[in-house]
Amino acid sequence: MITYSEKERVFKLDTANTSYIIGIVDDENFIGHVYYGKKLKDIDVTYLLKTWEYPFVPSKNNRERCSFYDLFPFEYPTGGMGDYRESCFEVKTASGHFGSMLSYVSHEIINGKPKLEGLPATFGNEDECTTLKIVCEDKYIGMQVELLYTAFNDTDVITRSVKVINTGKEHFYLTKVFSACLDMDRKDFDMVSLNGSWARERHIQRKALGYGIQKVSSFRGESSHQNHPFIALVDRNTTQENGEIYAMNFVYSGNFCAQAEVSQFDYVRMSMGINTQNFCWKLESGESFQAPEVVMVYTDKGFDSMTQNFHRLYKKHLIRGQYKNKKRPVLINNWEATYFDFNTKKLLSIAQEASKLGIEMLVMDDGWFGKRSFDNCALGDWKVNEEKIEGGLKNLVDEVNKLGMKFGIWFEPEMISPDSDLYRAHPDWALAIPGRPGTESRQQFVLDLTRKEVVDCVYEQVASILRSANIEYVKWDMNRQLSNIGSYGLEADRQGEIYHRYVLAVYEMQDRLTKEFPYLLLENCSGGGARFDPGMLYFSPQIWCSDDTDAIERLEIQEGTALIYPLSTMGAHVSDCPNHAVGRVTPFETRGIVALAGTFGYELDVTRIPKEDKDMIPSQIEMYHKYNDLVREGDYYRIASYSQNHQYDCWQIVSEDKTESLVTFVQVMNRANYKSRRIILKGLDEDKKYKVVFTNVKDVEDCVYSGDTLTKAGIFIPNPWGDFKSVLIHITEV
Ligand code: GLA
């Protein structure tokens, strides 16, 4: 899977269908990016580096060393020496100088994949992947840089990360440490990214790449609603089924930058890493810095293939814990049902009704602690409010358990309200620039998690609640983005480390939590889906996708999310109408069918919704139990996109063995005098025969067709009468 040719000085990393090739060049051991694309048989392709062409290499033409730097496809470009494209790395020495250049020193090929210290990352054993470690150095600074590459066997993925070691005598400052770079000698790409806002997360954007730098980034302290740590450069002709894609996704939950720069020679440099804004990390002699991991996918088979590579990797090599390949309990969350206005009696009345309908878990959301009856206080005071939770938490949990239901709870551990006992006792525990008033958001501040005593105090509060009763689920929320970056616990020249230290502390807390309570189902959340990223997925198998629970708005949000993340990770609930985010009224049935593409649950007051809606819940839950194994584990295909055609949405899931499939069709807007619509299915075995059952449409008879017919000629969806109607089609091998 990873080979090294001593003669050619070339590394070749192979996955099933792709090759990635790195070459070492010239007497000065420059590390060049030779090739990434369709699998190659030969290793001897260093002609691609074009060192046979003017300005050649410095040993042949030192007069144009600068031109060489500015043209050569570097594996890991540094700045300040003459490469004027945007670098991936910048260091400021103790004497205040910038500028560095890396050269190859040695390498190691490792079976399996080493862990990244303190960071979430994909994993795989010796049979599943191989890792290449290239050690390079800048001897003038006294610094080693390790470039780590892992090639996976069962998915066309190569992961990359970078570690910097101070091997000199003096400290230096890292002001930029990106994790991956791809220098390519073409520019005719479109750039695809995921952008949005609160309640409008991860909408797909595609635009032509032009000269200069095009980037998406976050400086919000989290991966964010607004931009997503993902970019793909795709051929102008790439479709769902065909065409080349180079994609990068960052296994990180904080500030990031993902960009593509088209240079003067029509070359593209694509890169990804921690955002440099406010980033300055001091590295003492002997210390090291580990940058997070980038996941790279190359395919020439369009978006379906890219998506499936990401899904496969995340399902097998990122998500952990007992729920990894398991059905999750159908939950009911009281947020949209009650907001802050609840007590034991109200929660139990919801639970009683819910248990009769087949719902399996009650989740108590925000408002159960301190004196919190609105969002203006008590974050940090994780003590049960017994005026609301009369009889205490254990009593409530026991009563819920007696109904045969599990119990889950909401926390927002990273935050502190100015009106809280915690803040009154420790005003210096909030992130703040000394002497400057803090900027409130949702009337709260962010805890300074760079301080161990803060992390320990909050963790202990959360853990003691979890120890006090039979709590089997936690929703870990984070409802504001970071600002006023300052810590009373760090020296002046370490204030630039806060953003990253914050993320590391969140990871450490979740690591502790999942180790102490391994049976917990953890669901991450951040004002909806602002921290839906692979970093958080390493700790929680599911993440709340968006506060927008409207079934139609969800089509675009879930399409964008599912572009990279498996359906098993997408928190999706059926809620009441008019929808709390958009005021839209949609059929209860469609709300259920759309939520079925995620974790599935309810977010409504089951004691108050219309009877005809309530009557539908048992059959929706039955449907969840029937299809969830397929939805969770199957391959996902996009058939049609409402965000593109503005009329209907359609996706399909096919089991790995191709014996079963589920097709979801949502007609958003009906049209007058319109006939049935033909859709072409995907992923089925051409040689198998399948029974096609329209599960919720009357007057359509079951039929049997070959996979060949279904994937070429397709099937007709009868025109559903009305807007927002949905059709669910179950396909099984006969
Ligand atoms: C965030 C979450 C919601 C809910 C509220 C509670 O907005 O996304 O689901 O938990 O916080 O304050």
Side-chain angles (χ1 to χ4, degrees):
M1 291 198 39
I2 297 185
T3 40
Y4 175 62
S5 161
E6 182 70 53
K7 183 167 148 262
E8 312 290 344
R9 302 220 294 165
V10 168
F11 299 98
K12 183 162 183 280
L13 292 74
D14 288 325
T15 67
N17 303 293
T18 72
S19 294
Y20 189 103
I21 301 178
I22 302 164
I24 301 160
V25 173
D26 209 33
D27 304 341
E28 292 175 46
N29 291 341
F30 301 109
I31 306 165
H33 178 66
V34 181
Y35 175 85
Y36 187 29
K38 279 191 229 183
K39 192 166 189 165
L40 291 183
K41 293 196 172 107
D42 295 332
I43 193 166
D44 174 20
V45 290
T46 47
Y47 71 94
L48 292 168
L49 288 173
K50 297 218 277 189
T51 50
W52 42 267
E53 190 175 62
Y54 192 82
F56 307 107
V57 282
S59 63
K60 288 198 199 131
N61 176 21
N62 202 31
R63 181 177 179 274
E64 290 304 342
R65 179 181 279 271
C66 195
S67 303
F68 167 75
Y69 286 160
D70 202 23
L71 178 73
F72 187 69
F74 283 103
E75 262 304 310
Y76 193 63
T78 53
M81 294 292 135
D83 180 353
Y84 299 105
R85 297 162 289 181
E86 183 133 335
S87 75
C88 280
F89 184 78
E90 206 171 69
V91 55
K92 183 181 165 192
T93 60
S95 56
H97 298 110
F98 296 90
S100 57
M101 179 55 68
L102 295 173
S103 52
Y104 167 87
V105 176
S106 65
H107 73 269
E108 197 183 331
I109 295 174
I110 305 156
N111 292 326
K113 187 169 188 290
K115 283 196 165 172
L116 300 190
E117 211 184 308
L119 284 167
T122 57
F123 50 80
N125 64 30
E126 297 185 353
D127 302 323
E128 294 167 334
C129 56
T130 316
T131 299
L132 167 67
K133 186 203 281 183
I134 298 180
V135 180
C136 31
E137 69 171 358
D138 183 324
K139 60 179 184 220
Y140 300 98
I141 292 178
M143 173 182 76
Q144 278 201 346
V145 175
E146 294 177 1
L147 308 178
L148 217 64
Y149 301 78
T150 299
F152 281 84
N153 288 342
D154 53 4
T155 159
D156 284 315
V157 165
I158 289 173
T159 61
R160 287 184 63 170
S161 63
V162 171
K163 185 175 171 181
V164 185
I165 306 148
N166 183 346
T167 51
K169 289 196 180 70
E170 280 189 295
H171 70 269
F172 54 71
Y173 300 92
L174 297 169
T175 55
K176 184 177 200 175
V177 191
F178 273 18
S179 297
C181 178
L182 274 178
D183 268 354
M184 296 183 273
D185 59 354
R186 54 182 276 200
K187 71 155 181 44
D188 49 335
F189 286 116
D190 285 343
M191 180 164 133
V192 175
S193 58
L194 298 170
N195 310 81
S197 179
W198 171 75
R200 276 189 278 113
E201 295 89 340
R202 289 172 297 286
H203 287 195
I204 299 170
Q205 174 178 254
R206 178 173 181 165
K207 59 182 184 193
L209 207 59
Y211 289 104
I213 295 172
Q214 285 112 100
K215 74 170 184 180
V216 288
S217 65
S218 166
F219 179 53
R220 297 167 183 269
E222 60 174 352
S223 41
S224 89
H225 306 95
Q226 289 76 8
N227 290 307
H228 197 72
F230 163 83
I231 50 169
L233 297 189
V234 314
D235 194 274
R236 297 261 151 93
N237 301 318
T238 291
T239 62
Q240 268 318 117
E241 300 85 16
N242 291 299
E244 288 196 285
I245 301 180
Y246 293 89
M248 288 184 179
N249 192 194
F250 204 19
V251 189
Y252 190 60
S253 312
N255 292 347
F256 73 89
C257 178
Q259 66 182 38
E261 177 180 8
V262 180
S263 73
Q264 55 183 332
F265 302 113
D266 289 352
Y267 290 3
V268 178
R269 173 169 289 173
M270 179 184 188
S271 59
M272 181 176 267
I274 294 178
N275 195 332
T276 54
Q277 207 174 339
N278 267 38
F279 175 79
C280 183
W281 192 279
K282 186 178 185 184
L283 217 54
E284 299 282 3
S285 170
E287 283 182 354
S288 61
F289 179 85
Q290 176 65 61
E293 175 169 270
V294 167
V295 173
M296 300 195 302
V297 170
Y298 167 80
T299 179
D300 63 332
K301 299 197 170 48
F303 289 105
D304 282 337
S305 159
M306 177 198 80
T307 294
Q308 284 163 16
N309 278 301
F310 277 116
H311 285 199
R312 218 170 297 138
L313 181 83
Y314 293 156
K315 280 193 267 190
K316 289 193 185 162
H317 303 289
L318 181 71
I319 294 165
R320 305 171 302 157
Q322 62 146 346
Y323 281 102
K324 182 179 168 105
N325 301 109
K326 257 175 62 183
K327 223 187 257 175
R328 322 279 157 78
V330 177
L331 66 81
I332 185 160
N333 177 303
N334 74 309
W335 178 241
E336 285 189 40
T338 66
Y339 298 106
F340 294 102
D341 185 18
F342 63 87
N343 54 23
T344 299
K345 199 163 149 237
K346 178 74 214 164
L347 292 176
L348 284 178
S349 72
I350 292 178
Q352 269 149 11
E353 210 53 42
S355 69
K356 285 186 218 151
L357 300 167
I359 296 174
E360 298 158 325
M361 179 159 74
L362 176 78
V363 175
M364 178 171 70
D365 211 279
D366 191 357
W368 55 266
F369 52 91
K371 59 179 180 74
R372 190 157 168 102
S373 289
F374 192 56
D375 63 13
N376 58 355
C377 66
L379 294 170
D381 300 340
W382 302 106
K383 303 235 163 37
V384 180
N385 176 346
E386 298 209 359
E387 279 170 29
K388 278 172 134 181
I389 310 302
E390 304 109 343
L393 182 61
K394 183 164 183 338
N395 165 63
L396 172 64
V397 178
D398 289 347
E399 290 303 313
V400 170
N401 287 168
K402 275 187 212 155
L403 295 167
M405 292 173 83
K406 296 178 190 292
F407 186 89
I409 196 167
W410 178 98
F411 286 100
E412 199 182 348
E414 301 157 60
M415 298 293 151
I416 183 165
S417 303
D419 180 6
S420 66
D421 294 341
L422 190 69
Y423 190 74
R424 281 182 281 275
H426 302 284
D428 59 328
W429 279 17
L431 285 175
I433 300 171
R436 189 183 267 279
T439 310
E440 289 183 29
S441 176
R442 212 194 193 210
Q443 301 181 75
Q444 63 198 57
F445 292 136
V446 182
L447 277 170
D448 179 1
L449 298 183
T450 68
R451 295 172 69 169
K452 189 176 178 315
E453 64 273 32
V454 177
V455 168
D456 288 345
C457 166
V458 181
Y459 179 80
E460 263 315 305
Q461 286 197 59
V462 170
S464 57
I465 293 283
L466 297 180
R467 291 176 202 128
S468 74
N470 183 27
I471 298 170
E472 296 174 79
Y473 163 104
V474 163
K475 178 174 170 187
W476 179 303
D477 209 341
M478 192 253 194
N479 276 326
R480 68 154 291 177
Q481 301 177 325
L482 275 57
S483 68
N484 303 70
I485 299 304
S487 167
Y488 289 95
L490 289 171
E491 295 144 32
D493 65 351
R494 290 200 178 270
Q495 296 287 323
E497 300 176 10
I498 293 174
Y499 274 111
H500 183 57
R501 282 181 184 270
Y502 180 88
V503 179
L504 294 180
V506 172
Y507 292 151
E508 196 221 307
M509 284 167 87
Q510 297 215 346
D511 189 52
R512 266 159 90 172
L513 190 80
T514 48
K515 282 192 175 125
E516 182 176 347
F517 307 97
Y519 53 84
L520 261 191
L521 173 55
L522 182 61
E523 176 157 357
N524 271 295
C525 172
S526 176
R531 214 164 49 180
F532 200 124
D533 58 59
M536 300 316 284
L537 276 184
Y538 182 74
F539 299 99
S540 68
Q542 60 192 57
I543 300 177
W544 184 228
C545 200
S546 177
D547 280 344
D548 192 339
T549 49
D550 172 66
I552 303 307
E553 292 283 297
R554 274 288 179 133
L555 296 175
E556 205 166 343
I557 296 169
Q558 294 184 183
E559 178 189 1
T561 307
L563 189 68
I564 357 182
Y565 305 108
L567 304 191
S568 62
T569 65
M570 296 198 304
H573 298 166
V574 177
S575 68
D576 203 4
C577 277
N579 179 268
H580 84 150
V582 286
R584 185 178 287 132
V585 177
T586 53
F588 198 76
E589 182 177 42
T590 296
R591 285 177 254 160
I593 283 176
V594 172
L596 198 66
T599 56
F600 195 78
Y602 292 87
E603 183 122 358
L604 39 72
D605 186 347
V606 82
T607 65
R608 285 191 2 209
I609 56 169
K611 183 172 178 313
E612 55 278 22
D613 290 356
K614 193 158 103 180
D615 289 348
M616 238 183 273
I617 292 179
S619 59
Q620 284 183 335
I621 292 176
E622 204 179 299
M623 181 173 84
Y624 165 77
H625 286 297
K626 182 168 176 190
Y627 301 127
N628 184 256
D629 284 347
L630 173 61
V631 171
R632 223 183 42 243
E633 307 293 336
D635 290 333
Y636 166 88
Y637 294 88
R638 182 48 57 177
I639 309 274
S641 160
Y642 167 60
S643 58
Q644 283 171 27
N645 65 38
H646 307 297
Q647 285 177 20
Y648 68 102
D649 209 54
C650 187
W651 63 91
Q652 183 187 1
I653 301 147
V654 183
S655 65
E656 218 177 310
D657 62 4
K658 298 183 184 295
T659 58
E660 192 185 4
S661 176
L662 193 69
V663 179
T664 309
F665 178 95
V666 180
Q667 166 164 282
V668 181
M669 300 305 282
N670 198 9
R671 300 164 84 190
N673 192 20
Y674 204 73
K675 309 298 177 201
S676 54
R677 185 185 295 280
R678 187 153 61 104
I679 55 161
I680 312 291
L681 301 185
K682 296 184 183 179
L684 300 170
D685 184 338
E686 294 184 1
D687 298 325
K688 287 192 196 313
K689 285 245 181 267
Y690 294 96
K691 183 171 168 190
V692 179
V693 179
F694 285 71
T695 67
N696 62 336
V697 183
K698 291 188 197 103
D699 309 327
V700 181
E701 286 192 8
D702 301 351
C703 49
V704 173
Y705 294 114
S706 67
D708 185 56
T709 301
L710 292 171
T711 54
K712 289 176 183 158
I715 52 170
F716 286 105
I717 310 280
N719 182 18
W721 180 245
D723 297 335
F724 316 134
K725 291 290 171 60
S726 51
V727 179
L728 194 68
I729 305 156
H730 190 211
I731 298 172
T732 44
E733 186 186 357
V734 289

